Amino acid sequence: MDNRPTISFISIGVQQVGKTNVKVTGDLTIRGVTKQVTVGFELTGAENDPQGRFRVGFHEPSSQVSRTCGRPSR
């Protein structure tokens, strides 16, 4: 068994909630178990980078993932 299993998040939707807030919904996979989750983010800025590409920055205030979800209690 790998001591450092892969965790992945694939976004499936973004919803604007207010002027500077968005909710991102996606499939979070941990140890082969996939659950749909929604995480809120706050817009922190938007501008062109030195190469001229438009970039947007977000801050994720706080989220927690229960690593025992679906496991029997001890």
Side-chain angles (χ1 to χ4, degrees), residues 18-68:
K19 193 171 185 176
T20 61
N21 295 310
V22 297
K23 289 186 177 181
V24 179
T25 300
D27 294 328
L28 177 66
T29 303
I30 302 174
R31 294 186 179 270
V33 176
T34 302
K35 304 267 181 164
Q36 191 174 87
V37 298
T38 300
V39 181
F41 292 90
E42 181 180 357
L43 176 67
T44 59
E47 62 183 38
N48 289 324
D49 68 13
Q51 289 77 33
R53 296 178 294 221
F54 187 67
R55 300 290 182 172
V56 179
F58 289 96
H59 169 70
E60 182 266 324
S62 68
S63 291
Q64 294 182 355
V65 175
S66 172
R67 298 183 330 159
T68 61

